[in-house]
Amino acid sequence: MIYFNNPKYDMHVHTEISGDGAMTPCDFCEQALKIGLDGLCFTDHFDDYGVWEDDGTVYDRQKALAQFLEAKERYGRKLNIFFGVELGQSIHDDSVQLELLKEMPYDFVISSIHNIRGEKDFYWMDFSGVSREHAISLYERYLDELYELAGWCHYDVMGHINYPLRYFYENDILIDERDYEEQMRAILKRLIENDIGIEVNFRSMRMKMAAPQPAPWVVHLYKELGGTKITYGSDAHKPEQLGFPKNFFS
């Protein structure tokens, strides 16, 4: 696929279809042309029951498709535009998600873990009373679920690996992810065995963490283990967030 290993393609974009997104695909296409992208993929949120977490926004699949087709009609001669989705917590209850994948003509599918079983999305979590020890426990459970997700073979790339660290850093809870290299190695090996890629997600670079997810050492490990499928995503929720940091790929 032309979007693998290609930094001119932004493969993780959220429009107004997502509860946390804003603006239409056409608005994003205008911005993509301004900043010199060759293509982009709209990957709005569809979590385990089709509702985006505490926001309560229901994924409107027909509106998502109609807006994509409008953008492709208007901008398809200037940009490669893909119709995608970001599945959340697929391993918690995949029945609704499998039905969605069967119905909708997606070009590209991300699967991510935003919340572990029995817990809120890390985005919504109140860290005011969370100790470092409890955060470590949450992170270890997250890694266990990533390993489980690596065995669920209905998607193209695993999204924003090490997602909880974004919010740990925002709340000054620092964890050395290198302490978990063996668990990460097992996750990556399972992804490779199942022909699933990883993404380099840049949203955390717009936050206190100021580093992509996963960290470069994880990407290098993935490649050392034989992984070949990497996509790049801004995780943009509004058009001005599209694209990637200057000089990053050099």
Side-chain angles (χ1 to χ4, degrees):
M1 295 288 186
I2 57 175
Y3 49 74
F4 283 120
N5 310 309
N6 191 333
K8 297 289 283 184
Y9 285 78
D10 190 336
M11 297 298 295
H12 194 142
V13 177
H14 295 286
T15 74
E16 63 183 10
I17 297 295
S18 293
D20 55 351
M23 311 297 279
T24 69
C26 288
D27 296 317
F28 281 92
C29 289
E30 286 286 347
Q31 179 68 7
L33 291 172
K34 287 180 184 177
I35 64 176
L37 291 177
D38 290 339
L40 72 168
C41 184
F42 302 107
T43 54
D44 287 302
H45 286 293
F46 188 98
D47 280 30
D48 50 348
Y49 294 103
V51 176
W52 189 75
E53 292 303 325
D54 290 8
D55 180 83
T57 301
V58 177
Y59 177 85
D60 188 334
R61 63 188 73 182
Q62 296 305 325
K63 183 177 179 181
L65 178 59
Q67 290 192 345
F68 162 75
L69 292 174
E70 179 187 3
K72 192 164 186 177
E73 174 67 24
R74 290 178 58 182
Y75 297 94
R77 294 179 181 83
K78 300 177 182 179
L79 287 168
N80 286 305
I81 306 171
F82 304 98
F83 184 44
V85 66
E86 182 182 9
L87 304 178
Q89 298 71 252
S90 302
I91 55 171
H92 293 184
D93 181 350
D94 66 1
S95 57
V96 178
Q97 296 194 356
L98 290 175
E99 179 271 328
L100 177 80
L101 295 179
K102 185 176 180 180
E103 176 185 339
M104 302 302 287
Y106 293 121
D107 303 305
F108 180 71
V109 179
I110 301 170
S111 193
S112 305
I113 299 292
H114 299 107
N115 68 278
I116 55 179
R117 291 179 176 90
E119 305 287 350
K120 288 179 175 287
D121 187 321
F122 289 96
Y123 175 87
W124 294 107
M125 196 173 287
D126 179 6
F127 286 94
S128 59
V130 174
S131 67
R132 185 172 183 276
E133 290 72 22
H134 183 50
I136 288 173
S137 174
L138 292 171
Y139 180 61
E140 290 174 347
R141 289 168 59 196
Y142 168 79
L143 292 178
D144 288 343
E145 291 203 10
L146 280 192
Y147 182 77
E148 189 179 350
L149 180 62
W152 190 79
C153 304
H154 303 282
Y155 62 106
D156 298 296
V157 301
M158 180 177 281
H160 46 57
I161 293 170
N162 282 334
Y163 173 81
L165 299 185
R166 289 182 187 177
Y167 305 103
F168 292 172
Y169 270 71
E170 290 293 292
N171 291 275
D172 299 316
I173 301 171
L174 305 183
I175 292 176
D176 187 351
E177 57 192 289
R178 292 302 293 256
D179 291 341
Y180 300 89
E181 183 171 341
E182 287 310 306
Q183 289 97 319
M184 188 58 62
R185 182 183 297 271
I187 292 164
L188 297 175
K189 286 179 70 174
R190 199 174 198 195
L191 288 172
I192 293 164
E193 289 167 1
N194 290 313
D195 197 31
I196 299 168
I198 64 172
E199 72 160 3
V200 178
N201 185 295
F202 290 93
R203 185 179 180 190
S204 49
M205 294 193 75
R206 303 192 298 271
M207 301 171 68
K208 196 171 183 177
M209 190 173 183
Q213 289 182 305
W217 72 267
V218 177
V219 180
H220 290 307
L221 179 58
Y222 172 76
K223 295 173 74 174
E224 287 171 10
L225 292 169
T228 60
K229 294 185 174 182
I230 300 171
T231 59
Y232 303 96
S234 64
D235 208 340
H237 290 70
K238 45 190 176 182
E240 57 265 33
Q241 295 173 343
L242 271 183
F244 314 117
K246 291 181 180 179
N247 304 318
F248 180 85
F249 296 96
S250 62

